Amino acid sequence: MLLSIVPHQEPRFLIPCVPLLLSCLRIPKSRWFLAAWVIFNAALGFLMGVYHQGGIVPAQLAIPSIISANAVTPNGAPLGSAPVSAVVLWWKTYSPPLWLLGDSANHSLDIESRDLMGMSGPEMDKELRKLIPSCPSRNKNGAEDLDTELARHPDAVFIVAPKSAKYLDSYTKLESDRPDLELHELWSYSKHINMDDLDFGTDGIISTLRRVIGRRGLAVWAVRRHCTRETDEI
């Protein structure tokens, strides 16, 4: 009870107050009330037990195979000929269980997981840009200078985030607001709902539910920088 008074605590810490409040009320003994009580608890139990952040464990278990199938070495060779370093960013999810990755030494993978929980969209964008190499410049001979840039970045960057996050639309839609960065969806798990994407005040009830429920799921994207010839010549 005393912990619930501290400002940094979450509303769920007030749950112990519920039995105390119910003990002060006279609950009507009717079939309608009992039916409503059962339906409410069954619905919330199914939502919170199956769909709420339900894709984190399946995604973490799939991460090694996803990276093995899509990552390449700095020289462009397939995985297996040299160790590959990969950074996986987890955004708008619970903290990923790192122990599920196990020992990746046999897979020639060096996987680093970074938890971006609570980070805003622009802050997440800054983290992506720190990890993705800039477009290659050309030296005096007209050849692309890649070695210096690649040496400071991981071989592959992935982001795990709910598909209902509106901020990701700026990377994935056709008319992208950020044409230099691209997200390529590699894997998804449909039994995942992110309650943090509920924005009734801005989008309204119907639009919000249509987005959060209709676009439910947790996805793994490969993050790449889109370099055009015009960009290279700048």
Side-chain angles (χ1 to χ4, degrees), residues 14-229:
L14 294 174
I15 292 179
C17 296
V18 175
L20 296 177
L21 294 176
L22 292 178
S23 64
C24 300
L25 301 175
R26 189 177 185 86
I27 301 177
K29 297 180 180 180
S30 65
R31 293 183 178 180
W32 290 105
F33 179 82
L34 180 60
W37 183 270
V38 172
I39 293 174
F40 174 81
N41 283 276
L44 266 294
F46 182 75
L47 173 63
M48 305 304 292
V50 177
Y51 278 91
H52 180 56
Q53 298 290 334
I56 295 178
V57 171
Q60 186 72 302
L61 292 174
I63 284 294
S65 60
I66 294 173
I67 296 177
S68 299
N70 295 276
V72 294
T73 63
N75 296 326
L79 181 65
S81 57
V84 171
S85 62
V87 175
V88 182
L89 303 179
W90 293 75
W91 185 55
K92 296 179 78 70
T93 68
Y94 285 164
S95 298
L98 301 180
W99 59 272
L100 288 177
L101 289 176
D103 185 8
S104 60
N106 296 330
H107 304 283
S108 299
L109 294 177
D110 181 14
I111 303 175
E112 178 186 355
S113 298
R114 297 187 184 181
D115 186 9
L116 306 184
M117 182 175 58
M119 188 173 289
S120 64
E123 292 174 332
M124 180 272 295
D125 182 78
K126 292 180 180 179
E127 291 296 321
L128 287 180
R129 296 182 184 278
K130 292 178 183 177
L131 295 170
I132 302 298
S134 58
C135 293
S137 58
R138 296 184 180 275
N139 55 29
K140 297 180 180 180
N141 298 325
E144 293 182 347
D145 188 8
L146 295 173
D147 296 337
T148 303
E149 185 68 22
L150 289 175
R152 297 184 289 108
H153 295 84
D155 301 329
V157 178
F158 303 87
I159 183 170
V160 183
K163 301 178 70 173
S164 58
K166 293 190 299 182
Y167 195 84
L168 295 181
D169 294 343
S170 58
Y171 301 96
T172 57
K173 63 183 181 181
L174 295 178
E175 298 296 331
S176 176
D177 297 333
R178 297 172 178 82
D180 56 329
L181 289 183
E182 295 179 344
L183 298 185
H184 301 270
E185 184 176 333
L186 305 175
W187 181 92
S188 65
Y189 185 81
S190 61
K191 294 181 180 179
H192 182 98
I193 290 180
N194 182 37
M195 307 296 285
D196 291 339
D197 288 329
L198 295 174
D199 191 4
F200 297 120
T202 302
D203 297 338
I205 297 177
I206 302 300
S207 298
T208 298
L209 293 178
R210 184 182 295 115
R211 173 173 53 83
V212 174
I213 298 178
R215 292 170 50 179
R216 64 186 178 276
L218 186 70
V220 179
W221 284 276
V223 186
R224 302 187 182 100
R225 189 179 294 276
H226 178 67
C227 296
T228 61
R229 180 173 299 178

